[in-house]
Amino acid sequence: MTTSAASRDFSEEIRIDADRDRVWAVLSDPATMPEASPELFAVTRRHGPFKVGERFVGWNRRGAVVWPTVNRVLSVDPGRELSWLTKTSGAVWTYTLTEDDGATILRETRQMPSGAPRFATMFGDALLGGMANHADELETHVSATLAWIKARTES
Protein backbone atom coordinates (compact mmCIF):
# COMPACT_ATOMS: atom_id res chain seq x y z
CA MET A 1 0.00 0.00 0.00
CA THR A 2 1.30 3.44 -0.91
CA THR A 3 0.77 6.32 1.49
CA SER A 4 -0.24 9.54 -0.20
CA ALA A 5 1.44 12.81 0.68
CA ALA A 6 -1.79 13.87 2.38
CA SER A 7 -2.00 10.75 4.58
CA ARG A 8 1.64 10.53 5.59
CA ASP A 9 2.67 10.24 9.21
CA PHE A 10 5.06 12.75 10.73
CA SER A 11 6.54 13.62 14.09
CA GLU A 12 8.99 15.96 15.73
CA GLU A 13 10.53 16.29 19.15
CA ILE A 14 12.01 19.07 21.22
CA ARG A 15 14.19 19.15 24.35
CA ILE A 16 12.69 21.31 27.08
CA ASP A 17 14.70 22.48 30.07
CA ALA A 18 11.90 21.79 32.52
CA ASP A 19 10.83 18.71 34.44
CA ARG A 20 8.23 16.37 33.00
CA ASP A 21 5.52 17.40 35.48
CA ARG A 22 5.80 21.06 34.43
CA VAL A 23 5.65 20.15 30.72
CA TRP A 24 2.68 17.85 31.36
CA ALA A 25 0.81 20.60 33.24
CA VAL A 26 1.03 22.89 30.20
CA LEU A 27 0.49 20.18 27.58
CA SER A 28 -2.57 18.65 29.24
CA ASP A 29 -4.34 21.93 30.02
CA PRO A 30 -7.13 22.22 27.43
CA ALA A 31 -7.30 25.97 27.98
CA THR A 32 -3.77 26.42 26.60
CA MET A 33 -4.26 24.24 23.50
CA PRO A 34 -5.56 27.11 21.33
CA GLU A 35 -2.59 29.26 22.38
CA ALA A 36 -0.11 26.59 21.34
CA SER A 37 -1.66 25.74 17.97
CA PRO A 38 -1.43 27.96 14.90
CA GLU A 39 -4.73 26.54 13.56
CA LEU A 40 -6.86 25.70 16.60
CA PHE A 41 -8.61 28.71 18.11
CA ALA A 42 -11.06 27.13 20.59
CA VAL A 43 -11.99 23.83 22.23
CA THR A 44 -15.50 22.85 23.31
CA ARG A 45 -15.50 20.21 26.03
CA ARG A 46 -16.41 19.46 29.61
CA HIS A 47 -14.25 20.92 32.38
CA GLY A 48 -11.43 19.21 34.23
CA PRO A 49 -8.57 17.06 33.05
CA PHE A 50 -8.81 14.98 29.88
CA LYS A 51 -10.21 11.45 30.31
CA VAL A 52 -9.90 8.44 28.04
CA GLY A 53 -13.01 8.15 25.88
CA GLU A 54 -13.93 11.82 26.27
CA ARG A 55 -15.16 13.56 23.15
CA PHE A 56 -14.42 17.19 22.36
CA VAL A 57 -14.71 19.61 19.47
CA GLY A 58 -11.74 21.58 18.20
CA TRP A 59 -12.45 24.81 16.30
CA ASN A 60 -9.95 25.59 13.56
CA ARG A 61 -9.31 28.58 11.34
CA ARG A 62 -7.27 29.16 8.24
CA GLY A 63 -7.92 32.60 6.78
CA ALA A 64 -11.67 32.94 6.25
CA VAL A 65 -12.27 29.18 6.51
CA VAL A 66 -13.51 27.94 9.92
CA TRP A 67 -14.29 24.31 10.67
CA PRO A 68 -14.90 21.99 13.63
CA THR A 69 -13.17 18.69 14.29
CA VAL A 70 -14.70 15.91 16.36
CA ASN A 71 -12.15 14.20 18.61
CA ARG A 72 -11.99 11.30 21.05
CA VAL A 73 -9.29 10.99 23.71
CA LEU A 74 -7.41 7.70 23.30
CA SER A 75 -4.82 7.84 26.09
CA VAL A 76 -4.05 9.88 29.16
CA ASP A 77 -0.96 8.73 31.06
CA PRO A 78 -0.04 11.71 33.25
CA GLY A 79 3.52 12.85 32.67
CA ARG A 80 4.00 10.35 29.84
CA GLU A 81 1.40 10.43 27.04
CA LEU A 82 -1.69 12.20 25.73
CA SER A 83 -3.39 11.20 22.48
CA TRP A 84 -6.64 11.65 20.62
CA LEU A 85 -8.26 10.62 17.37
CA THR A 86 -9.55 13.42 15.19
CA LYS A 87 -12.45 11.50 13.71
CA THR A 88 -13.19 14.08 11.04
CA SER A 89 -9.67 13.83 9.52
CA GLY A 90 -8.61 10.32 10.52
CA ALA A 91 -5.52 11.67 12.32
CA VAL A 92 -4.23 10.32 15.62
CA TRP A 93 -2.31 13.01 17.49
CA THR A 94 0.04 11.78 20.22
CA TYR A 95 2.30 13.63 22.63
CA THR A 96 4.89 11.62 24.53
CA LEU A 97 7.18 12.89 27.27
CA THR A 98 10.44 11.28 28.39
CA GLU A 99 12.99 12.41 30.94
CA ASP A 100 16.44 13.40 29.77
CA ASP A 101 18.98 14.37 32.45
CA GLY A 102 16.71 16.85 34.24
CA ALA A 103 15.00 17.98 31.06
CA THR A 104 12.05 16.62 29.08
CA ILE A 105 11.89 15.36 25.52
CA LEU A 106 8.46 16.17 24.12
CA ARG A 107 7.44 14.42 20.89
CA GLU A 108 4.34 15.23 18.84
CA THR A 109 3.23 12.67 16.26
CA ARG A 110 0.49 12.63 13.66
CA GLN A 111 -0.47 9.21 12.34
CA MET A 112 -3.05 8.44 9.67
CA PRO A 113 -3.72 4.74 10.33
CA SER A 114 -6.68 4.49 7.94
CA GLY A 115 -5.99 7.49 5.72
CA ALA A 116 -8.26 10.50 5.47
CA PRO A 117 -12.03 10.00 5.29
CA ARG A 118 -13.71 10.99 2.04
CA PHE A 119 -15.35 14.10 3.51
CA ALA A 120 -12.02 15.34 4.89
CA THR A 121 -10.42 14.89 1.48
CA MET A 122 -13.21 16.79 -0.28
CA PHE A 123 -13.12 19.57 2.35
CA GLY A 124 -9.34 19.87 2.20
CA ASP A 125 -9.28 19.89 -1.58
CA ALA A 126 -12.06 22.49 -1.83
CA LEU A 127 -11.14 24.86 1.01
CA LEU A 128 -7.56 24.24 2.17
CA GLY A 129 -5.64 24.05 -1.08
CA GLY A 130 -5.56 20.25 -1.09
CA MET A 131 -4.94 17.63 1.54
CA ALA A 132 -1.22 17.30 0.75
CA ASN A 133 -0.80 21.05 1.11
CA HIS A 134 -2.65 21.00 4.42
CA ALA A 135 -0.50 18.10 5.66
CA ASP A 136 2.61 20.18 4.85
CA GLU A 137 1.12 23.07 6.77
CA LEU A 138 0.25 20.85 9.75
CA GLU A 139 3.81 19.56 9.83
CA THR A 140 5.10 23.12 10.23
CA HIS A 141 2.45 23.69 12.90
CA VAL A 142 3.95 20.83 14.91
CA SER A 143 7.23 22.76 15.11
CA ALA A 144 5.40 25.91 16.18
CA THR A 145 3.35 24.07 18.82
CA LEU A 146 6.41 22.41 20.34
CA ALA A 147 8.31 25.72 20.37
CA TRP A 148 5.37 27.40 22.12
CA ILE A 149 5.21 24.68 24.80
CA LYS A 150 8.99 24.93 25.29
CA ALA A 151 8.82 28.72 25.71
CA ARG A 152 5.89 28.49 28.12
CA THR A 153 7.43 25.80 30.32
CA GLU A 154 10.94 27.26 30.40
CA SER A 155 9.78 30.77 31.36
Side-chain angles (χ1 to χ4, degrees):
M1 179 171 109
T2 303
T3 301
S4 76
S7 293
R8 73 185 185 283
D9 298 342
F10 50 80
S11 85
E12 187 173 328
E13 68 182 27
I14 195 167
R15 186 176 195 279
I16 300 174
D17 291 321
D19 68 39
R20 201 165 55 177
D21 290 339
R22 174 134 174 85
V23 176
W24 176 258
V26 171
L27 171 68
S28 65
D29 181 356
T32 64
M33 290 171 65
E35 293 179 56
S37 171
E39 190 171 272
L40 180 72
F41 70 88
V43 174
T44 303
R45 62 177 297 275
R46 64 168 189 74
H47 297 289
F50 283 113
K51 293 188 175 167
V52 172
E54 171 187 347
R55 297 187 192 301
F56 66 94
V57 176
W59 295 93
N60 300 280
R61 178 181 302 133
R62 181 174 183 231
V65 180
V66 175
W67 70 97
T69 59
V70 177
N71 305 274
R72 183 174 48 86
V73 177
L74 300 176
S75 68
V76 179
D77 186 357
R80 290 183 173 75
E81 182 177 284
L82 174 64
S83 70
W84 62 86
L85 166 65
T86 301
K87 295 175 79 165
T88 43
S89 71
V92 174
W93 293 93
T94 304
Y95 291 88
T96 55
L97 298 85
T98 54
E99 293 179 335
D100 182 40
D101 195 27
T104 302
I105 303 297
L106 176 61
R107 173 176 288 276
E108 182 177 359
T109 303
R110 181 190 89 151
Q111 295 176 300
M112 299 291 290
S114 301
R118 186 179 197 170
F119 176 79
T121 300
M122 292 185 322
F123 179 86
D125 288 348
L127 298 172
L128 300 176
M131 288 295 286
N133 178 56
H134 191 234
D136 292 344
E137 190 173 41
L138 288 173
E139 194 165 7
T140 66
H141 289 178
V142 167
S143 298
T145 297
L146 293 175
W148 185 93
I149 293 169
K150 177 181 174 71
R152 173 61 66 96
T153 55
E154 288 183 347
S155 63

